[in-house]
């Protein structure tokens, strides 16, 4: 099954079951996160799928999890990319946090104010389906609700101002997530992750080369903090980011960033790069 | 005025006005964050202060902001400490994020599982009182609701596993916050911040030596993400952390950590350091 969060006419959102290329059945929750917070969410979706329900089409996708309590990201996680950079594989995952305000919809225009080094990071994201605390890898695997597509868009000038990346990773409404969550029971094996700038392929990786796979990551994080239904874990990006190019390459005003995972879906975001902030901040 | 979040008999919490050393008047909000979310919060408090209300005593403090949307922390911010370490003053604040799950009450026992390098960071924390987005320093100053005491307890073994500090800073229920918020109108000038381990003074600084003061920090953060009423910004810690001692010193099972700011209040937290997590995580 594929689930989505749709923008409704009343400026609210609704969770929905995807039934076709532009057809959905409304689910009784304001978004996919609120749906997952109901322990019987699978039964709820199956009932709607069987009995039918309120059909929707012609609407826009919201961020999949507009109110995610935790958005935890992993850096330096693709083995082939790490090795091509001449580094050793890490013993522990490099983790950092975002807030729900950082997220935006899969087709939203992304406005960036105050950065001139806007870079891309195409990623598989894992949606948590049940509470996890100090869980082992098997428990973590069973707690995965599904998978979605994200782009950890990074303001490299801000990211590299200090040792901690947070300020370059947490600009409001700059991380697109969606368009849908593919439920874990229909995801077998690994995913191809691709990123394109104005149609040109710039990133390509397979999640089989992740140093810390989804279950391992969730288990690790749950050793120190509880994960709840609707929390989101971004698994890191393969090689091909703009910062790593010679010369470095960043997004320009008007560029289109496409992020694609076979079997899940595609983000397509236009960028507006606005003037930098005044020098005194 | 001093405001607090108290644990009530029904396992819930209530915001309260502090009227004496163990006397409070209940305020119509579940916690200080929920109170600040009401634009007329000052009027609400003044009415209760004048008209009287439900008197409370003999109850425990909850974390001041148990549901804070954002908890953003600044590192490397005390000029005297940075200069004693032989470093240059930073041009930009070093920022990282926590979640509300990281917070705990000002007298709560703190249980740590899986770390053997538990360190202290006594800090002044700033409570946001109104929305801020791309605000200048004056707007930021006017948006400060008040000040409280925090200790950014840090699991140095986890913090130093990777380049990003998050995992060592975000153990659930390890950052005590409270006991009260001193409203900004009653805070004139700078604060003395002190940390004690088992009664021994280990940290002492004055917020006059902050490189980035409260208004500057809030203005800076608001350039990339919105701050809302009840959000919390930790301003960094002065010299004297255990990691910087020769030899390094960390908290032991049974230790008591006291964090004190003149004019605001004191945190007193007993520590229980439990066995490390298994080697496979």
């Amino acid at each position: 099954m594929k689930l989505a969060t749709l923008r409704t006419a009343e400026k609210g959102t609704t969770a929905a079951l995807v039934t076709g290329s532009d057809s959905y059945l409304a689910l009784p929750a304001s978004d996919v996160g609120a749906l997952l917070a109901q322990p019987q969410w699978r039964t709820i979706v199956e009932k709607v799928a069987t009995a039918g329900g309120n059909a929707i089409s012609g609407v826009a996708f919201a961020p999949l999890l507009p109110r995610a309590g935790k958005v935890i990201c992993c850096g330096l996680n693709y083995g082939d990319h790490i090795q091509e950079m001449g580094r050793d594989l890490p013993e522990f995952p490099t983790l950092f946090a975002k807030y729900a305000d950082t997220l935006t919809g899969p087709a939203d225009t992304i406005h960036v104010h105050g950065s001139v080094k806007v870079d891309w990071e195409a990623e598989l994201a894992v949606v948590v389906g049940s509470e996890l605390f100090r869980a082992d890898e098997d428990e973590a695997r069973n707690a995965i609700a599904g998978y979605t597509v994200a782009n950890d868009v990074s303001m490299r000038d801000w990211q590299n101002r200090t040792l901690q990346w947070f300020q370059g990773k947490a600009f409001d409404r700059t991380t697109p997530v969606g368009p849908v969550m593919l439920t874990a029971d229909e995801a077998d094996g690994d995913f191809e992750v691709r990123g394109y700038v104005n149609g040109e392929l710039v990133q390509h990786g397979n999640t089989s080369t992740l140093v810390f796979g989804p279950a391992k990551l969730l288990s690790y994080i749950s050793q120190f903090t509880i994960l709840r239904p609707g929390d989101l874990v971004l698994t890191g990006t393969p090689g091909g980011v703009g910062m790593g190019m010679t010369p470095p390459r960043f997004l320009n005003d008007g560029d289109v960033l496409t992020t694609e995972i076979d079997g899940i879906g595609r983000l397509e975001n236009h960028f507006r790069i606005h003037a930098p902030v005044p020098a005194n901040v």
Side-chain angles (χ1 to χ4, degrees), chain A:
Chain A
M1 298 189 297
K2 288 179 176 172
L3 306 178
T5 300
L6 302 176
R7 293 197 170 112
T8 55
E10 307 80 30
K11 291 219 164 191
T13 59
T14 183
L17 173 66
V18 180
T19 53
S21 70
D22 179 32
S23 60
Y24 311 90
L25 288 172
L27 296 169
S30 62
D31 58 63
V32 169
L35 177 72
L36 298 177
Q38 305 176 54
Q40 303 305 315
W41 68 268
R42 286 174 203 274
T43 312
I44 293 168
V45 177
E46 281 157 13
K47 268 190 193 159
V48 170
T50 312
N54 187 11
I56 305 175
S57 66
V59 297
F61 289 105
L64 184 72
L65 299 157
R67 298 178 299 153
K70 289 178 185 149
V71 182
I72 299 180
C73 306
C74 184
L76 310 173
N77 198 18
Y78 274 83
D80 52 353
H81 176 51
I82 294 168
Q83 289 173 325
E84 86 184 357
M85 305 282 283
R87 298 186 191 175
D88 291 333
L89 293 184
E91 188 179 358
F92 302 107
T94 298
L95 301 174
F96 57 95
K98 296 178 188 253
Y99 296 109
D101 283 330
T102 319
L103 308 181
T104 194
D108 288 352
T109 296
I110 293 177
H111 293 266
V112 179
H113 293 260
S115 169
V116 293
K117 294 190 175 177
V118 183
D119 202 351
W120 49 84
E121 296 199 353
E123 309 204 2
L124 174 73
V126 185
V127 182
V128 177
S130 50
E131 277 197 7
L132 277 178
F133 192 58
R134 293 191 206 128
D136 65 24
E137 216 171 310
D138 282 338
E139 292 167 327
R141 189 172 294 106
N142 291 330
I144 296 173
Y147 300 91
T148 188
V149 186
N151 200 307
D152 176 22
V153 170
S154 301
M155 280 37 81
R156 301 296 188 196
D157 33 11
W158 288 67
Q159 182 184 345
N160 294 326
R161 283 180 170 185
T162 71
L163 290 173
Q164 298 303 297
W165 301 342
F166 169 71
Q167 62 190 268
K169 298 281 196 173
F171 274 51
D172 282 359
R173 291 180 298 285
T174 57
T175 296
V177 176
V180 303
M181 180 188 89
L182 176 71
T183 52
D185 56 300
E186 295 192 5
D188 51 346
D190 298 301
F191 294 99
E192 290 283 317
V193 179
R194 290 186 183 83
Y196 303 82
V197 175
N198 301 328
E200 175 195 347
L201 181 70
V202 288
Q203 291 193 275
H204 181 205
N206 189 288
T207 58
S208 64
T209 68
L210 286 173
V211 181
F212 306 99
K216 184 85 182 167
L217 268 183
L218 267 55
S219 166
Y220 185 89
I221 294 166
S222 82
Q223 302 309 309
F224 61 89
T225 189
I226 190 169
L227 292 171
R228 297 193 181 84
D231 286 347
L232 194 62
V233 174
L234 275 64
T235 60
T237 199
V241 299
M243 185 177 62
M245 295 181 175
T246 311
R249 178 174 164 188
F250 301 106
L251 292 175
N252 292 309
D253 188 37
D255 280 354
V256 180
L257 181 65
T258 306
T259 318
E260 195 174 55
I261 298 184
D262 293 347
I264 304 178
R266 163 196 291 222
L267 316 171
E268 191 166 295
N269 300 92
H270 287 68
F271 276 75
R272 296 305 315 270
I273 312 287
H274 301 276
V277 287
N280 68 331
V281 295

